[in-house]
Amino acid sequence: MTLDAVIAANRFGLGARPGELERARDDARGWLLKQATGSRPVPAEIRGLPSSAEIFKTYSELRRDRDDAKSDKEAAKRLLGGLRAKLAPYYLDQVAARYRVAVASEESFRERLVHFWTNHFAVSADKPQVLALAGTLENEAIRPHVAGRFADMLAAVEAHPAMILYLDNQASIGPGSQLAQRRNRRAAAGDRKLGINENLAREILELHTLGVDGGYTQQDVTTFAKALTGWSLGTDRPFLGGELGKFAFHDAAHEPGAKTILGTRYGQSGVAQPRAVLADLARHSATARHVAFKLARHFIADEPPPEAVERIAKAFRDSDGDLPTVHRAVLDTPQAWASPAVKFKTPHELVVSSLRMLDFVPSEPRQVAAPFDLLGQRPYTPCSPAGWPDTATHWDGPDALLKRIEWAGSVAGRVAAREQPLNLGQRSLGAALNERTRTAITRAASAEQGITLLLASPEFQRR
Amino acid sequence: MSGALAAGATAMLPRCVFADVATDARFVLVLLRGALDGLAAVPAYGDGAYAAKRGALAITSPQLKLDGTFALHPSLTQLHERYQAKELLVFHAVASPYRERSHFDGQDLLENGTGTAKAAHDGWLNRALPLLPEAKRRATDRIALALAQNVPLVLRGAARVGSWAPSRLPETDSDTLQRIADLYSTDDYFASRLQSALAADSVAGEGMSVGRRDPLNALNAVAAAAGKFLAAADGPRIAVLEAGGWDTHANQGAERGQLANRLRGLDQALSSLRTALGAAWARSAVLVVTEFGRTVAVNGTGGTDHGTATCAFLAGGAVAGGRVVTDWPGLANSALYEGRDLRPTLDVRSIMKGVLASHLGAAESGLEEQAFPGSRTARPLGDLFKHGLSG
């Protein structure tokens, strides 16, 4: 069935590239399944990027220079500007690499899954400490586990410097820890007491695992935050230990003692304790339901049918969170293959699918990032730890539609000299190209106008 | 928008009608996402427990006093001037009915108006639009406008609304736009959105482009744009703005620092809004709310964690200001909610209902049934405005 190939390439993949509908035609489901299993070498564009530890080292040096200059206000200000200017290229290179891979990939279902999980475990480059690290979370903690186990992905994400810094856990100190005891004994009356920060613990429970209705209490949040004290990274304050820019567990900052979370007692000491909590959260039935709902919302509909959610949740529970099994359950859900398409593309999806159809990526990193920014979805800046919304109502405002049309016009202007609009429509949408759109394109005054109409058409705006 | 395109847009759309004097009230809703620390924005310096409880975050000798108990954060100088001019009401110990601590559910409930997170897919302000006298005169997407590319939940729903955000993209020529409108003509989902967008764009006109990189400047520019929209005689009457960055878990700062900078940005934006409204400021009300407050005590990283009650502001020439409205619960241990948060004593829906009823003329019964179902206990606040119906 030709429509299956269109759905495989556009709904599950990131949009059909030249020749892709033909390649997916004979066995659309098998074509997708193969993409979601087994390991892959790191794409060359990403292999060339500096690691989070290298970037953090640079960041620490820059920050130290600034701190040294603090007495001199002007110099400190200059250095702060310098800090941003020095970190921004890392961010832009990560963005450019991400979208070069996304546009060129012959396995774009796998790439979509990478993007999906990155958004599930969202950090935001809007926070200065995270600006240069956001892309490394995707490349170091998501990508290696996208065909692995959820538990391993969870463990890798929560221990990644970008997540720890984004949700403030590096300085969360157990009030009964050695560090706090020592410091608070010596502290003068007005000094700040060392203590916990609940942010990471709360978002792990609410967003990464159980979900907001997953049955945890404020007490669970506070206790989990205590279990996570010491869960940090090696900084340039060497007395705490750890290798600079890499995950480190600071025993001296950890709140000692057993903790009871969600009714389970964790008597372990040190890093074994938060690890045990994370392992239990990863296999919790509420986690299965929460993850299944988000996958169903992403691939089926903004309000997915409960039986589809349950099918995916069951695959999660039965396989103990084996992601290829979970992803296959999505493909096995009949509603995921329904047509016509109902998911309104996010700006990210619209831009990537357009560029894949045109087989075109700008050469300058800044130009790669620009359209996402213009359409309201600057890469790696979801504004909140919940990630970018995955429902149409967040993206389909009147003004947003006008911006999409304006962007379509500007892209069309750049490629019109070498492309035939109807060929493009056939290449990307195949049998899903509407008669009405086809007629409008045929009657267009120019190739540029025809391509604008294609990109603006309802069937191209959905997947 | 080019002249040719504006003409094209006009051809597609019914020309709007001038609003008459009786319905000239303006309303701007500002949503602060991320949970503003109410005790930082409005320190309770006169509360005996304040200094000890707040520790390093306490502002103990504030310059911008409101009365013997409360002050404004030193960044809010222009709001303080409005207070002295009796154009600002400050509410404290305010909360929505939400009692958990998730941003996302908290915002959802603040906007959906039902008292339960995720209980509705539309917002209270959208459901209130048909209740307004103004809705008898013109289409709702000519009355209400989101100053964003996309429409926030509070304004989403059955009534069509406009949205507008500054653009750095080249405009599409009017012929192409007309053909796209034709292509959409059998698909109401796309057709209605395109129409609303073109309507807003034709009002916006020239000189509305701004840089969006710096979020504080962006809010300022968007606030100025909102003022310009609302000032127009045939422009919208209701606008919604949003601003993030209030989730201060670490290094929040007191008189100076991260949060102080944010508050200065907000103060500037509200001032720009007032300037742009011009003479219409006299008939305006600007409500500033956030999803919940933050812990009374400082956390281990110089910030505050998610809490419960917070503050809210109502500013405008129509507002009977110069007062702090609160049933102050105090900051003693026994008074705190769950031993950690400022206890809520005022339902934020009482303020919202007060604005809709007294300022915008919505029928109270409709507010109860449609805008805020199940909110009987949250009686609309009276005395918020200088003359009953502002107009």
Side-chain angles (χ1 to χ4, degrees), chain A residues 88-363:
Chain A
Y90 289 110
Y91 165 79
L92 284 171
D93 286 348
Q94 288 161 9
V95 169
R98 177 190 221 214
Y99 288 104
R100 286 199 181 108
V101 170
V103 171
S105 175
E106 296 291 340
E107 294 195 314
S108 73
F109 177 43
R110 195 182 176 96
E111 280 307 304
R112 178 182 283 282
L113 290 169
V114 168
H115 298 166
F116 170 84
W117 287 109
T118 295
N119 195 48
H120 178 74
F121 293 111
V123 297
S124 181
D126 277 336
K127 187 161 177 164
Q129 298 96 307
V130 182
L131 171 64
L133 293 174
T136 66
L137 181 103
E138 175 167 272
N139 296 328
E140 295 169 5
I142 303 290
R143 204 169 270 288
H145 299 288
V146 74
R149 296 174 62 242
F150 177 79
D152 295 334
M153 188 187 278
L154 177 71
V157 165
E158 308 307 352
H160 194 276
M163 185 62 77
I164 291 169
L165 291 166
Y166 179 51
L167 294 177
D168 309 306
N169 211 66
Q170 76 281 5
S172 183
I173 313 277
S177 68
Q178 293 169 29
L179 195 66
Q181 300 275 308
R182 235 177 9 236
R183 157 82 180 269
N184 293 347
R185 249 198 320 275
R186 285 188 319 226
D191 285 3
R192 172 156 69 81
K193 289 242 169 87
L194 296 176
I196 61 166
N197 180 314
E198 296 177 355
N199 208 8
L200 179 64
R202 178 183 304 282
E203 304 306 16
I204 289 175
L205 294 170
E206 176 183 332
L207 302 172
H208 301 168
T209 62
L210 306 179
V212 69
D213 303 317
Y216 60 91
T217 62
Q218 174 60 41
Q219 189 59 46
D220 290 321
V221 173
T222 310
T223 311
F224 186 25
K226 286 180 181 160
L228 279 170
T229 47
W231 184 271
S232 184
L233 70 160
T235 67
D236 45 7
R237 275 167 292 179
F239 63 92
L240 282 170
E243 203 180 324
L244 187 64
K246 293 195 173 167
F247 175 75
F249 191 80
H250 300 146
D251 277 305
H254 184 65
E255 178 73 6
K259 320 272 189 311
T260 299
I261 298 161
L262 294 157
T264 302
R265 184 176 179 278
Y266 295 91
Q268 299 86 342
S269 62
V271 72
Q273 187 177 62
R275 287 226 165 101
V277 182
L278 285 174
D280 284 351
L281 290 172
R283 59 192 312 178
H284 199 285
S285 65
T287 302
R289 199 167 51 236
H290 180 217
V291 163
F293 180 84
K294 287 188 75 174
L295 281 163
R297 167 166 279 181
H298 186 74
F299 286 102
I300 299 171
D302 289 1
E303 297 307 328
E307 62 274 19
V309 176
E310 176 46 30
R311 176 197 279 262
I312 301 164
K314 183 175 187 310
F316 189 106
R317 289 193 304 268
D318 292 352
S319 70
D320 208 5
D322 176 59
L323 293 177
T325 307
V326 176
H327 297 148
R328 188 188 312 133
V330 179
L331 296 178
D332 288 344
T333 305
Q335 294 96 330
W337 294 88
S339 71
V342 294
K343 285 292 289 185
F344 189 77
K345 287 178 183 173
T346 63
H348 158 87
E349 292 170 331
L350 177 72
V351 173
V352 172
S353 59
S354 304
L355 298 181
R356 283 176 66 83
M357 175 178 81
L358 298 164
D359 194 13
F360 164 73
V361 187
S363 53

Side-chain angles (χ1 to χ4, degrees), chain B residues 142-194:
Chain B
R142 294 310 187 93
I143 301 173
L145 182 70
L147 271 289
Q149 286 191 21
N150 294 292
V151 181
L153 176 62
V154 69
L155 206 47
R156 267 184 243 148
R160 265 159 63 169
V161 299
S163 83
W164 182 90
S167 180
R168 285 177 283 149
L169 282 160
E171 285 163 5
T172 309
D173 67 89
S174 58
D175 177 49
T176 304
L177 216 41
Q178 186 67 59
R179 287 171 194 247
I180 291 171
D182 290 344
L183 179 61
Y184 289 172
S185 61
T186 54
D187 186 328
D188 186 56
Y189 183 91
F190 283 88
S192 61
R193 282 168 174 76
L194 181 58

Side-chain angles (χ1 to χ4, degrees), chain B residues 15-19 24 26 134 138 142-143 199 202-203 228-237:
Chain B
R15 189 83 190 102
C16 57
V17 202
F18 278 80
D24 252 359
R26 269 73 162 182
E134 182 71 4
R138 47 183 188 155
R142 294 310 187 93
I143 301 173
S202 66
V203 178
K228 193 173 164 191
F229 273 111
L230 265 57
D234 56 352
R237 289 294 170 265

Side-chain angles (χ1 to χ4, degrees), chain B residues 10-70:
Chain B
T10 311
M12 277 185 269
L13 298 158
R15 189 83 190 102
C16 57
V17 202
F18 278 80
D20 63 38
V21 181
T23 56
D24 252 359
R26 269 73 162 182
F27 175 50
V28 181
L29 178 67
V30 183
L31 297 169
L32 303 183
R33 299 190 187 281
L36 167 68
D37 183 0
L39 283 172
V42 184
Y45 73 97
D47 185 297
Y50 168 77
K53 279 276 161 41
R54 279 254 121 176
L57 298 186
I59 297 175
T60 44
S61 29
Q63 301 300 305
L64 306 179
K65 289 182 182 156
L66 299 174
D67 58 23
T69 308
F70 301 103

Side-chain angles (χ1 to χ4, degrees), chain A residues 168 171-172 190 192-199 202-203 206-207 212-213 218 222 303 344 373-376 378 384-386 392-403 405-407 410 436-437 440 443-445 449 452-453 456-458 461-462, chain B residues 56 101-105 118 121 148-151 156 161-173 175-177 179-180 182-187 189-190 193-194 196-198 201 212-213 247 249-251 298-302 305-306 338 340:
Chain A
D168 309 306
S172 183
R192 172 156 69 81
K193 289 242 169 87
L194 296 176
I196 61 166
N197 180 314
E198 296 177 355
N199 208 8
R202 178 183 304 282
E203 304 306 16
E206 176 183 332
L207 302 172
V212 69
D213 303 317
Q218 174 60 41
T222 310
E303 297 307 328
F344 189 77
D373 192 8
L374 291 168
L375 298 179
R378 192 152 66 94
S384 99
T393 47
H394 288 90
W395 301 114
D396 67 359
D399 188 72
L401 180 63
L402 189 57
K403 298 273 190 298
I405 292 170
E406 289 171 351
W407 179 74
S410 75
R436 203 179 162 79
T437 308
R443 291 181 185 160
Q449 192 175 58
T452 309
L453 285 163
S457 68
Q461 294 287 329
R462 295 195 175 107
Chain B
R101 296 184 183 86
S102 154
H103 289 300
F104 319 105
D105 276 7
K118 292 176 284 216
H121 294 297
Q149 286 191 21
N150 294 292
V151 181
R156 267 184 243 148
V161 299
S163 83
W164 182 90
S167 180
R168 285 177 283 149
L169 282 160
E171 285 163 5
T172 309
D173 67 89
D175 177 49
T176 304
L177 216 41
R179 287 171 194 247
I180 291 171
D182 290 344
L183 179 61
Y184 289 172
S185 61
T186 54
D187 186 328
Y189 183 91
F190 283 88
R193 282 168 174 76
L194 181 58
S196 298
L198 292 175
D201 227 34
R212 283 176 291 175
R213 190 34 60 74
D247 194 17
H249 282 281
N251 305 320
V298 57
N299 70 9
T301 53
D305 290 323
H306 301 181
E338 294 187 348
R340 56 181 263 159

